[in-house]
Amino acid sequence: MEQHTIELIGMVLVAVITALVGPAGDDIERNLVILDEISEIRDMLDADRIWICQFHNGGHFLHTNKSIQKFSITYEDTKPGIGSVINLFTDIPLSLYSRSMNHIMENKHLWVSDFKDETIATYGLKSAAEATGTNASYCIGLFDIATDRCIGTMGVDYREKKKLTQTQKDFLIERSSRLAGYLSVYLKSK
């Protein structure tokens, strides 16, 4: 009787662990694919930092119950010795970056080759660049493959001014489209 009870408890534990770890294991596997992809992009572009931010609901306004639109960096890869910014950009109101997001929505991307050059438009990103030690940034919108709605952005940062070639920009656009497709499928699989 005791052996049967132990076997039964064992089977129940295996079922519970499989149920709990199975989905988490899938999520971990998907996250690793995204991290590997952005790491490869960072290497190919010889960037100091690459990140993906995703939009999310950050709660509701009290007086209207309207959703507060926010974003958080959800994936990041940096060169050794380059500081991480993932913890700085968590639950950030989208309204703080309206100029840059408007530019991305209209143009699908935003290129700033030198934040110190006063003749280059920075679309409200200069203070964030200064705070993170970034001098050049190439941001591209990530659009859902089915709805064409922007689900986030991917940024490639450099500590020094950097002018990407058209070939490098095309590479960034192509790879970000692939990542957007992967993220779209991933978000809908929940």
Side-chain angles (χ1 to χ4, degrees), residues 55 104-105 108 141-152 177 180 184 188:
F55 304 133
I104 289 171
M105 297 300 286
K108 307 290 186 191
L142 301 174
F143 293 85
D144 184 282
I145 56 174
T147 65
D148 201 36
R149 293 184 68 198
C150 191
I151 58 174
S177 292
S184 294
K188 291 174 182 159

Side-chain angles (χ1 to χ4, degrees), residues 4-48:
H4 177 67
T5 304
I6 292 172
E7 289 174 0
L8 184 59
I9 291 172
M11 290 185 335
V12 169
L13 282 174
V14 166
V16 169
I17 290 170
T18 301
L20 293 175
V21 175
D26 290 346
D27 286 347
I28 290 169
E29 195 68 32
R30 289 177 178 138
N31 289 332
L32 288 174
V33 168
I34 293 168
L35 289 170
D36 287 346
E37 183 74 14
I38 66 170
S39 178
E40 186 178 321
I41 295 167
R42 187 189 56 74
D43 286 343
M44 293 292 288
L45 296 175
D46 194 29
D48 293 311

Side-chain angles (χ1 to χ4, degrees), residues 17-123:
I17 290 170
T18 301
L20 293 175
V21 175
D26 290 346
D27 286 347
I28 290 169
E29 195 68 32
R30 289 177 178 138
N31 289 332
L32 288 174
V33 168
I34 293 168
L35 289 170
D36 287 346
E37 183 74 14
I38 66 170
S39 178
E40 186 178 321
I41 295 167
R42 187 189 56 74
D43 286 343
M44 293 292 288
L45 296 175
D46 194 29
D48 293 311
R49 178 187 306 115
I50 186 169
W51 46 265
I52 292 176
C53 81
Q54 292 177 273
F55 304 133
H56 57 88
N57 178 347
H60 293 86
F61 289 102
L62 182 61
H63 64 288
T64 63
N65 205 29
K66 183 175 172 139
S67 175
I68 301 171
Q69 297 173 330
K70 292 190 176 186
F71 72 89
S72 295
I73 292 181
T74 53
Y75 300 95
E76 178 187 51
D77 186 64
T78 62
K79 271 187 180 176
I82 301 297
S84 173
V85 298
I86 198 167
N87 292 324
L88 297 175
F89 291 94
T90 301
D91 290 326
I92 305 297
L94 200 53
S95 60
L96 292 177
Y97 295 95
S98 295
R99 284 188 205 103
S100 57
M101 280 311 305
N102 184 61
H103 186 82
I104 289 171
M105 297 300 286
E106 290 178 356
N107 300 285
K108 307 290 186 191
H109 56 75
L110 185 151
W111 312 137
V112 180
S113 60
D114 185 358
F115 278 103
K116 293 177 184 170
D117 184 342
E118 298 294 326
T119 65
I120 296 175
T122 60
Y123 304 97

Side-chain angles (χ1 to χ4, degrees), residues 137-175:
S137 191
Y138 294 84
C139 302
I140 189 157
L142 301 174
F143 293 85
D144 184 282
I145 56 174
T147 65
D148 201 36
R149 293 184 68 198
C150 191
I151 58 174
T153 59
M154 182 171 71
V156 179
D157 294 343
Y158 295 88
R159 306 251 323 142
E160 301 298 326
K161 69 180 182 178
K162 176 74 173 185
K163 190 163 182 115
L164 292 182
T165 66
Q166 189 59 49
T167 302
Q168 289 172 316
K169 290 176 182 177
D170 291 343
F171 167 78
L172 181 57
I173 289 167
E174 184 271 322
R175 294 299 283 271

